[in-house]
């Protein structure tokens, strides 16, 4: 697991004499230690430096941009730092930023407070001056306010470090599409050039023959190794071992192609399997469990999103998967969603040890594919979709509560998840449909909307959150206003 590095930088100036700098530096180190402890093991915060002049500010941001290890910069103004000094540096800043509005002392030292104290501890107004220039320059940044040791403050910083790591990953993400989109489908389409400009995603297509050739080249050793992994992770519940071995070969072949191109996600499509005997089922599932992004039917946006979410959730331990809204269950005036896919749900969300089964697919005209079958776990989760509205990207997050399916489904030979939407079925689905959300999503138990909102803001894309407080008409109005905003702003500017 990579540990993401963040810098804490503190703004001040020479106005108060240089004898305050040592005190501020010591405080910066103490504060960084507290923040670092809170964000570990995913990330680490170190005190970087005091910033006292325009030249120092510019040099710091250049260094942060240049250093690949740095995932983001946290700023805090201990004293007043005139923010025209920040313009030159901020204009160049390319890394995620968090403005922490806090102060070193928790309480006012009633008996000792004097003008020296007032001149040293000025975050209350120094941070407002700092915030103003970010707003004036329209810097995408997270603002977190409160006493720095408070758990609510640390939790916001913790979530932001995950969002920032997602931004870093997004900026050089390669996605391989094996075959094109499912024919005539709209929502899985999109502008790949704009996606590369906005998100940094490089999305390129390879013919299925690229996989077919690599399947032929799989060695006996590679096959044995992959089958051993399957035996550890899954219960093999089929006599048709050859079909399982074929998925192992597909997995090895796809992994080779991904590694050759430094790709972290891929798509397949059942309409383009030339030279392949089965649709990749277990192969796609197990690659997702390894951390790769995946979505079916050429849906590169969802594949990229899953990869980024898996990275942001790293160490969360609950799981994230490609998902599709499949069918509904209505009971006592409430609706529930049963989600699944033809085959490809990630075993990281399984509540039990998945069983490998080989069953007919009834679509795509290929041999019966092996797949891992299980029920998803219970708990709070989100459904996430990114759509291309032809002038901007919109991320839609819908809060839900995953449940155990009410009854067993002995004839359903695929992995399935069931959930109840917030605030209720009709509000959530009406909102989702008005927002143009896809039938494909990423379902994550590890992240909440805040991590995703931070990410969307840093990526400068639209964000829609369907939650406990959502009202359909208010949401429609908000989206209309956002439409005007993004039209004025232009795409990918
Ligand atoms: Mn689908």
């Amino acid at each position: 697991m990579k540990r993401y590095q963040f810098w804490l930088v503190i703004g001040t100036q020479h106005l108060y004499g240089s004898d305050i700098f040592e005190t501020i530096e010591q405080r910066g180190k103490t504060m960084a230690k507290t923040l670092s402890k809170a964000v570990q093991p995913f990330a680490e915060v170190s005190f970087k430096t005091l910033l006292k002049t325009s030249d120092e500010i510019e040099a710091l941001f250049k260094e942060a941009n240049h250093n690949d290890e740095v995932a983001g910069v946290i700023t805090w103004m201990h004293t007043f730092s005139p923010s025209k000094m920040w313009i030159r540096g901020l204009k160049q800043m390319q890394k995620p930023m968090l403005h922490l509005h806090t102060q070193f002392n928790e309480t006012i030292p009633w008996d000792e407070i004097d003008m020296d104290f007032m001149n040293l501890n000025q975050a209350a107004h120094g941070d407002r001056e700092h915030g103003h220039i970010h707003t004036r320059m329209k810097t995408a940044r997270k603002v977190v306010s409160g006493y720095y040791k408070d758990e609510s403050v640390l939790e916001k910083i913790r979530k932001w470090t995950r969002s920032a790591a997602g931004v870093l990953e997004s900026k050089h993400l390669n996605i391989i599409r094996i075959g094109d989109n499912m024919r005539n489908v709209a929502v899985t389409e999109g502008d790949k050039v704009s996606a590369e400009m906005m998100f940094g995603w490089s999305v390129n297509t390879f013919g299925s023959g690229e996989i077919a050739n690599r399947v032929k080249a799989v060695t006996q050793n590679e096959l044995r190794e992959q089958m051993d992994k399957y035996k550890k992770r899954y219960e093999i519940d089929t006599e048709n071992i050859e079909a399982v071995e074929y998925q192992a070969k597909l997995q090895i072949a796809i992994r080779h192609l991904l590694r050759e191109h430094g790709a972290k996600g891929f798509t397949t499509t059942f309409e383009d399997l030339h030279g392949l005997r089965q649709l990749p089922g277990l192969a796609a599932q197990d690659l997702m469990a390894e951390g790769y992004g995946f979505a079916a039917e050429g849906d590169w946006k969802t594949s990229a999103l899953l990869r980024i979410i898996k990275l942001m959730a790293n160490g969360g331990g609950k799981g994230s998967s490609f998902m599709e809204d499949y069918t509904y269950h209505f009971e006592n005036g409430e609706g529930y969603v049963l989600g699944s896919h033809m085959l490809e749900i990630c075993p990281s969300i399984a509540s039990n040890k998945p069983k490998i089964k080989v069953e007919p697919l009834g679509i795509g005209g290929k041999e019966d594919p092996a797949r891992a079958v299980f029920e998803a776990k219970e708990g709070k989760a989100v459904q996430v979709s990114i759509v291309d509205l032809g002038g901007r990207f919109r991320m839609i997050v819908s809060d839900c509560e995953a449940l155990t399916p009410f009854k067993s489904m002995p004839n359903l030979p695929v992995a399935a998840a069931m959930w109840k939407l917030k605030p209720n079925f009709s509000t959530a689905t009406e909102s989702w449909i008005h927002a143009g959300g896809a039938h494909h999503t990423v379902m994550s138990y590890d992240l909440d909307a805040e991590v995703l909102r931070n990410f969307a803001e840093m990526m400068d894309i639209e964000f829609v959150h369907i939650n406990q407080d959502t009202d359909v008409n208010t949401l429609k109005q908000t989206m209309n206003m956002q439409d005007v905003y993004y039209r004025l702003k232009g795409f990918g500017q």
Side-chain angles (χ1 to χ4, degrees), residues 182 188 270 295-297 299 322-324 326 340-342 344 439-440:
M182 179 178 168
T188 51
F270 66 91
E297 288 105 45
D299 185 355
F322 169 58
M323 188 56 68
E324 182 168 282
Y326 236 92
S340 185
H341 204 260
M342 276 177 224
E344 315 93 329
H439 55 280
H440 283 171

Side-chain angles (χ1 to χ4, degrees), residues 143-285:
V143 180
V144 175
S145 191
Y147 186 52
Y148 76 99
K149 287 183 183 170
D150 283 352
E151 180 48 35
S152 61
V153 168
L154 296 172
E155 178 65 5
K156 284 181 189 169
I157 296 172
R158 200 177 289 131
K159 285 180 184 176
W160 172 79
T161 61
R162 292 188 177 268
S163 316
V167 169
L168 209 65
E169 178 72 5
S170 181
K171 283 189 174 170
H172 22 94
L173 182 57
N174 258 350
I175 300 292
I176 283 183
R177 310 170 73 223
I178 302 161
D180 206 319
N181 280 45
M182 179 178 168
R183 285 166 210 130
N184 291 316
V185 176
V187 81
T188 51
E189 287 286 359
D191 180 343
K192 297 196 278 294
V193 179
S194 291
E196 191 151 353
M197 287 164 65
M198 297 300 292
F199 297 105
W201 304 345
S202 174
V203 182
N204 293 290
T205 302
F206 291 77
S208 56
E210 295 275 357
I211 302 302
N213 285 340
R214 284 171 180 77
V215 165
K216 282 183 210 145
V218 169
T219 67
Q220 280 306 311
N221 267 346
E222 286 176 312
L223 177 62
R224 199 176 313 122
E225 209 180 294
Q226 189 59 54
M227 288 298 287
D228 285 345
K229 284 185 192 162
Y230 287 166
K231 280 171 204 159
K232 259 185 223 148
R233 290 176 191 162
Y234 311 107
E235 185 187 319
I236 298 186
D237 190 21
T238 176
E239 314 254 281
N240 190 349
I241 300 302
E242 207 213 328
V244 182
E245 284 179 344
Y246 188 71
Q247 288 288 330
K249 288 180 188 171
L250 282 172
Q251 180 166 354
I252 294 158
I254 295 168
R255 200 193 289 117
H256 276 311
L257 183 69
L258 294 169
R259 285 192 179 157
E260 282 160 34
H261 296 273
K264 295 287 172 59
F266 67 107
T267 65
T268 58
T269 171
F270 66 91
E271 286 182 332
D272 188 353
L273 294 173
H274 191 73
L276 304 181
R277 283 167 37 200
Q278 300 176 16
L279 174 67
L282 178 59
Q285 292 178 291

